[in-house]
Amino acid sequence: MLGPLEVRAADGRAVSVGGPRPRAVLVMLLLEPGRVVGVERLVVGQYADDPPADAVGAVQAQVARLRRVLPAGLIAFTGGGYRIDVDPDDVDVHVFERLAARGRAAVAGGRPAEAVETLRAALALWRGPALVDLPNAVAEAARWAELRLTATEDLVDAELALPDEDPVPRLRALVAEHPLRERFREQLLRALHAAGRPAEALAEFEDARRLLADELGADPAPGLAAAHLAVLRSEPVAPVRPPLPARLTSFVGRDAELRLLADARDARLVTVVGPGGMGKTRLAVEFARRAGREVCFVDLSGVVAGDADVTRPVLAALGVREAGFRANPTGPVDRLVAALDQDVVLLLDNCEHVVAEVAGLVRVLLDRCPRVSVLATSREPLGLTGETVVPLGPPADPVRLFADRAAAARPGVVVDPEEAAGICAALDGVPLAVELAAARLRQFDLAEIARRLVGAERFRLLSKGDRTAAARHRTLRAVVGWSWDLLTPAERAAAARFSVFAAGAPVAAVEAVCGSDDVVADLVDRSLVVFADGRYRMLDTIRLFCAERLRESGDEHAARAAHAEHHLALARRADPHLRDAEQVEWLARLTADHDNLMSALRWAVREDRPTAMRLVTALGAYWWLSGRRGGAGEEAAALLTDEVPDGLGEEYVSCVVHAVPRAAEEHWRRAAAVLDELGWTLRHPFGAALWGMAAGPPDEVPGEPAFAPDPWNAALGALSRGLLEVMAGGDGVPRLREALAGFRALGERWGTAQALDWLALLASRRGEWADAHAAWAEALACYEVLGALDECAELHCHRGESLVREGDFGSATREFTAAIESAARAGRTAPAEASLGLGEVARLRGDLAEADVLLRRAHAAALVEGGARWLSARTATALGRLAQARHDRAAAASWHTEAVECVRTAALAAELASALEGLAGVAVLDSDGVRAAHLLGTAVALRGAPIAGDPDVVRTAAAATALTPDYAAVHAAAAARSTEDALAT
């Protein structure tokens, strides 16, 4: 991308990626390899302030074009954007940035030959202006152009240090091209001076001085002025090398943070803040090493807290000596100010324990020393006006750091990326913790390290570090303990209570558990808590340490009770909104607190069972709609008792539903009795839908359910009644349309999709294919907004069944495959209905062996999925039809009879009809056309109408007609009977 975009395959072949739009998308993705780039950012990057009406759809189309020409799986959709999985070393901009940084480090480290080789390789990557395929990225392109010029300047510095190089001609060209860039001018002066041409150097300076005055009204910068003075004095001019600590290990994983510091280089006070062990010192030193300015490094870790005189270590670092034993009439601050009459960066390291004293000194220096800048590291900001704070979190790629340190600790070790990623995630990516864990590879393998990192065990594992390091950096516990010791009693109490949050917390939750959030805000300043996106969060290592302190304090029960009470209130407040137009927003809000909700539930199961039962009930709709319906099964089962607790009848029913399949028969009977007593009037109405889906249809068609009088309940009542009518062989369409209107009026998506799905199913049975697919498309859109993957899988199966009857086996296969993929994304195995559909396609295509495998798998899965009678009947019917295709009369009869026995009830009359159609096929095998006609007609009586396009029924009817001339009369007579009469015979 350093020039017009070029894409090449592994064999060097050029790959065409299409027009300007796809090229722009690819460039934006390649700028962030391995990271998600939001769709909104992709839209702005292409269209700036004038996006088309369907900009998101346009981006999707452009990504689709890229996927057609790039390797499969290279571009993935994740969350709200796209990620390209390429190695940064396969992208020229990232290779250039890495080489340029390495070259600059070589210049600063006094290795000019290495610097020249590296920087020339970096600059050779450029073929023209950067990012020309991204016209709206003017600022980004300018940044890369500046990096190119900086690398060129570094290269010239390196060439000046080599005796055989003559950079003068190229420098004259660079000065001509960039006349206001003073570093080129300074380098040209140095080159001419070194070549014994002082007159030309002085003339060059005069030209530069005049141009700067005319164009900018400014004097030459200190570097250029110093070079001019050196020429006048005939002194050698050489870049000043900063007195910084030597690097003992490689520096990896902080490129983004270095860019942040570079962006803040004009600020006079920059403070790098972060928790202990995050690598603040290492980052600051590395930035200073690359910055190209004189740096004075001051380590304040040895200063005793409370010592007001922090000037002495600064004076010592500057080399300012005391004059014998006489008292100096000039105070230390004044001497420091006098010594700092120079262009220098003060790097003040480890300020957190003397932060007030450091802040006072820095205020004076910034006021009185205009040429001084300060770069500080601390666990909290200095709190001065004009301070630029750079928060330091975990590196973007801690696995790279782990692998690097592992190789040093145990040469030749092979680090599995997935195992290393798990270890780094457990340690929150904290660099010191990652390095301590990598060092343990001398004693343990990766699996053992991962096992020992569970809970507080990590503090024992990571208890050996560098013996030469400061005591607070030798072990993980010492790192956190140093921060804890600096807290006030109120801050310690708040930090301990905050540890009960499993996934951070918004302000309201913090106030409920920790008291005022002001103290927690102080913990943010201390780098023990992070505030981002409206939530406070604590790194897991710090949280575990604080949890130990909470247990020691005796305040744990009260803190966890407050935590559970707050999250029960949140669940109850959210519940009604999960049934209206704010459904998606409240699902997202609960999802953000999912870990906290589950933590509160698990604690309440042990310590406060009534609260636990109320949580199960209040969260029922959230769990179902967010695809987490089985996540609380064990907790719900643990709450079931032999008696219904007083006042908790609805809660008991909810626990039974969520305990599937752990609830015993007596629990179901007890719950059914409670519902009869309550009359279906529930405080959390979604519980009625959950009961219906878990318990399945009744054996008899019930009367009108007495749902509580609110709009969502009314719609649910219409939906329930419509489904029961359909299953019993009735019409059901008017009720379903009533339900659809009710859910749509509320803006509630789940109920809307349920009604649409069933209306589509009925339309497809009537052969109204276009209406059916339109309704399914709308239903699928509702489910996708909710992220309801299980419902998406079910809907794909319904569409697939319709397509089979339409004769489109290819499209049907794609729908069943999509159902399996949706289930997999939800963490579930292939649905029985999907295996059933694929098995039916295989049978109808004549692949009986494949059909046998798929249908038996579907039948086994149907039994596992709660033993649903209707699903078991369908799979048994399909196996019976397969036996018919093999002319195995006995097996066919057995399977179809099993199907009939599964659904021989009034409430499942429509499902019974399918089983009877299967038995009609057995009658054809027996050459009994009259019985086949009777059974097919009875199926029509039970279902209310034949199913359009069913190839098996069409084939059976044709065979029966050929067997008996009375087929039409027998069929008509059987079809004319009532449902009750048909069931009786």
Side-chain angles (χ1 to χ4, degrees):
M1 299 187 292
L2 300 176
L5 179 67
E6 286 186 4
V7 179
R8 296 192 179 276
D11 59 3
R13 174 179 49 85
V15 177
S16 173
V17 294
R21 298 297 188 196
R23 293 167 70 87
V25 169
L26 183 57
V27 167
M28 286 185 277
L29 295 177
L30 288 171
L31 284 172
E32 299 286 343
R35 298 180 183 177
V36 176
V37 181
V39 172
E40 183 178 351
R41 184 174 166 189
L42 294 173
V43 170
V44 172
Q46 287 199 81
Y47 303 105
D49 297 327
D50 189 26
D54 187 16
V56 174
V59 169
Q60 291 173 342
Q62 291 145 18
V63 170
R65 293 190 192 100
L66 290 172
R67 282 172 168 164
R68 284 196 289 269
V69 297
L70 297 178
L74 195 66
I75 300 179
F77 180 77
T78 305
Y82 294 92
R83 182 187 71 246
I84 188 163
D85 293 319
V86 300
D87 189 326
D89 283 347
D90 288 334
V91 185
D92 60 356
V93 291
H94 303 299
V95 176
F96 166 76
E97 192 168 25
R98 175 172 56 78
L99 292 175
R102 187 192 300 170
R104 167 164 281 203
V107 172
R111 304 186 303 278
E114 176 189 336
V116 167
E117 180 182 1
T118 304
L119 291 166
R120 284 177 178 172
L123 292 166
L125 295 170
W126 287 74
R127 298 171 289 104
L131 310 185
V132 293
D133 293 279
L134 202 57
N136 293 321
V138 177
E140 184 72 6
R143 186 179 79 83
W144 286 102
E146 176 63 23
L147 288 175
R148 183 184 189 181
L149 287 173
T150 301
T152 304
E153 291 168 340
D154 291 339
L155 175 59
V156 172
D157 271 344
E159 290 173 341
L160 285 170
L162 294 177
D164 297 331
E165 296 288 341
D166 180 15
V168 171
R170 189 153 62 89
L171 274 170
R172 287 198 183 281
L174 289 169
V175 166
E177 186 177 356
H178 307 281
L180 295 176
R181 197 166 184 91
E182 292 184 69
R183 191 175 172 194
F184 285 144
R185 295 272 190 178
E186 176 190 343
Q187 290 170 329
L188 179 55
L189 258 69
R190 287 165 50 200
L192 290 168
H193 182 34
R197 298 151 68 178
E200 292 179 59
L202 293 174
E204 192 66 45
F205 175 79
E206 185 59 28
D207 288 344
R209 186 194 62 75
R210 189 166 47 250
L211 180 65
L212 289 169
D214 293 344
E215 295 290 334
L216 303 178
D219 293 327
L224 182 56
H228 174 238
L229 186 60
V231 175
L232 291 173
R233 293 176 176 176
S234 298
E235 296 174 349
V237 183
V240 178
R241 298 194 180 107
L244 294 170
R247 184 201 292 168
L248 300 179
T249 60
S250 62
F251 184 83
V252 298
R254 289 297 194 185
D255 293 342
E257 290 81 357
L258 285 171
R259 286 195 293 270
L260 280 176
L261 286 174
D263 290 343
R265 60 178 172 265
D266 293 334
R268 293 195 61 209
L269 171 59
V270 177
T271 306
V272 180
V273 300
M278 199 59 76
K280 301 182 293 294
T281 299
R282 192 173 297 178
L283 174 68
V285 168
E286 185 67 21
F287 173 72
R289 180 175 284 117
R290 302 180 185 191
R293 293 181 63 188
E294 184 175 355
V295 177
C296 178
F297 179 83
V298 186
D299 183 2
L300 298 174
S301 61
V303 179
V304 177
D307 186 348
D309 191 4
V310 293
T311 58
R312 294 192 183 280
V314 184
L315 286 167
L318 285 167
V320 179
R321 300 164 57 94
E322 296 285 351
F325 295 101
R326 294 182 181 179
N328 194 322
T330 305
V333 173
D334 290 330
R335 285 192 292 124
L336 187 56
V337 169
L340 286 173
D341 184 20
Q342 56 181 297
D343 182 17
V344 67
V345 177
L346 274 183
L347 202 170
L348 304 179
D349 192 36
N350 297 305
C351 300
E352 57 272 351
H353 61 302
V354 286
V355 67
E357 294 84 352
V358 172
L361 176 62
V362 169
R363 178 75 283 161
V364 171
L365 296 180
L366 293 178
D367 288 343
R368 298 176 60 183
C369 305
R371 299 168 64 191
V372 170
S373 298
V374 176
L375 174 60
T377 74
S378 178
R379 301 191 187 187
E380 62 178 293
L382 301 187
L384 297 178
T385 301
E387 179 180 24
T388 297
V389 177
V390 177
L392 189 62
D397 187 7
V399 175
R400 182 182 168 201
L401 176 64
F402 183 89
D404 182 87
R405 301 302 187 261
R410 186 175 161 190
V413 67
V414 177
V415 175
D416 178 79
E418 290 189 8
E419 286 186 285
I423 290 172
C424 293
L427 295 171
D428 304 305
V430 176
L432 177 64
V434 170
E435 294 185 5
L436 291 172
R440 279 298 205 170
L441 280 170
R442 298 189 190 101
Q443 296 88 23
F444 307 114
D445 61 16
L446 286 172
E448 182 63 17
I449 290 175
R451 187 187 70 78
R452 289 172 179 250
L453 288 177
V454 175
E457 176 73 13
R458 71 180 59 190
F459 293 113
R460 287 187 287 276
L461 176 71
L462 307 181
S463 60
K464 293 183 179 179
D466 184 354
R467 291 186 180 92
T468 67
R472 67 184 184 281
H473 277 161
R474 291 178 194 166
T475 71
L476 189 61
R477 186 182 294 278
V479 169
V480 185
W482 169 261
S483 295
W484 176 269
D485 292 341
L486 297 176
L487 301 179
T488 66
E491 289 168 344
R492 291 181 185 178
R497 278 196 156 226
F498 191 92
S499 68
V500 302
F501 290 104
V507 173
V510 169
E511 291 177 344
V513 176
C514 303
S516 170
D517 70 323
D518 292 340
V519 181
V520 178
D522 292 338
L523 295 178
V524 174
D525 286 340
R526 306 288 190 271
S527 297
L528 283 173
V529 173
V530 177
F531 184 75
D533 301 325
R535 294 179 70 84
Y536 292 101
R537 290 180 175 83
M538 183 179 275
L539 294 179
D540 197 45
T541 296
I542 298 174
R543 188 178 67 82
L544 289 170
F545 182 94
C546 293
E548 288 182 349
R549 307 290 80 76
L550 181 63
R551 286 191 291 273
E552 294 167 358
S553 72
D555 190 34
E556 183 177 17
H557 187 279
R560 292 198 176 278
H563 177 268
E565 181 181 352
H566 170 80
H567 286 95
L568 174 59
L570 173 65
R572 285 176 162 172
R573 190 164 67 254
D575 181 67
H577 295 292
L578 297 180
R579 303 188 303 278
D580 63 23
E582 296 181 59
Q583 190 175 47
V584 174
E585 291 79 2
W586 278 90
L587 278 175
R589 188 168 176 178
L590 291 177
T591 296
D593 267 310
H594 177 77
D595 290 342
N596 280 320
L597 292 165
M598 295 304 297
S599 175
L601 174 60
R602 285 189 288 269
W603 176 84
V605 168
R606 297 190 306 270
E607 304 290 340
D608 186 352
R609 293 174 66 85
T611 293
M613 295 180 75
R614 294 183 180 108
L615 273 167
V616 170
T617 309
L619 291 170
Y622 159 66
W623 285 330
W624 184 272
L625 294 174
S626 65
R628 296 178 172 92
R629 60 202 62 175
E634 291 185 7
E635 289 78 8
L639 295 169
L640 294 178
T641 58
D642 293 336
E643 294 184 0
V644 179
D646 290 342
L648 296 173
E650 182 177 338
E651 287 76 6
Y652 186 88
V653 172
S654 186
C655 287
V656 170
V657 168
H658 286 94
V660 171
R662 302 167 184 86
E665 189 63 34
E666 59 267 23
H667 295 133
W668 284 100
R669 287 197 298 269
R670 206 173 290 124
V674 168
L675 280 176
D676 288 341
E677 182 181 345
L678 292 174
W680 294 88
T681 302
L682 306 177
R683 295 187 302 279
H684 299 280
F686 205 90
L690 294 174
W691 174 266
M693 289 183 286
D699 289 338
E700 300 297 330
V701 180
E704 190 78 23
F707 288 104
D710 90 0
W712 192 87
N713 276 319
L716 177 64
L719 177 67
S720 301
R721 189 63 189 175
L723 296 184
L724 291 172
E725 289 176 3
V726 171
M727 291 178 184
D731 183 5
V733 171
R735 296 277 194 173
L736 292 174
R737 286 178 176 161
E738 177 188 343
L740 177 60
F743 288 128
R744 274 179 168 163
L746 291 168
E748 197 276 309
R749 296 168 180 82
W750 181 83
T752 297
Q754 286 280 312
L756 283 167
D757 186 16
W758 277 96
L759 285 167
L761 214 98
L762 295 175
S764 76
R765 290 179 180 177
R766 296 191 299 269
E768 298 167 2
W769 313 117
D771 291 345
H773 287 293
W776 272 320
E778 184 180 348
L780 186 61
C782 290
Y783 284 146
E784 286 176 341
V785 169
L786 293 174
L789 295 172
D790 286 302
E791 282 85 350
C792 287
E794 186 177 25
L795 190 147
H796 282 301
C797 288
H798 293 169
R799 286 208 300 204
E801 292 165 8
S802 176
L803 288 163
V804 168
R805 288 186 281 107
E806 293 175 57
D808 188 349
F809 293 162
S811 296
T813 298
R814 285 190 287 273
E815 291 294 334
F816 295 130
T817 302
I820 294 171
E821 291 172 351
S822 291
R825 291 202 303 275
R828 304 184 187 279
T829 56
E833 285 184 277
S835 297
L836 171 62
L838 290 172
E840 288 284 70
V841 169
R843 176 179 65 83
L844 292 168
R845 281 177 163 168
D847 190 348
L848 303 187
E850 177 71 6
D852 186 73
V853 172
L854 290 166
L855 294 177
R856 289 184 184 276
R857 182 186 302 163
H859 191 60
L863 297 176
V864 171
E865 292 179 13
R869 290 175 295 169
W870 64 271
L871 188 52
S872 298
R874 285 189 183 180
T875 54
T877 297
L879 284 163
R881 288 173 171 172
L882 176 62
Q884 290 169 220
R886 290 173 166 167
H887 302 285
D888 187 344
R889 190 264 176 211
S894 175
W895 281 115
H896 289 309
T897 300
E898 178 180 330
V900 168
E901 294 305 318
C902 284
V903 288
R904 194 193 285 273
T905 68
L908 291 172
E911 298 297 340
L912 177 58
S914 296
L916 293 183
E917 288 165 346
L919 280 177
V922 176
V924 167
L925 290 178
D926 293 337
S927 300
D928 190 344
V930 173
R931 175 169 170 73
H934 176 77
L935 288 168
L936 291 174
T938 302
V940 173
L942 291 171
R943 193 186 288 115
I947 293 181
D950 188 321
D952 293 291
V953 172
V954 171
R955 190 182 302 111
T956 300
T961 301
L963 288 171
T964 175
D966 298 328
Y967 173 84
V970 174
H971 183 277
R977 291 184 300 166
S978 66
T979 302
E980 293 76 12
D981 186 28
L983 282 169
T985 58

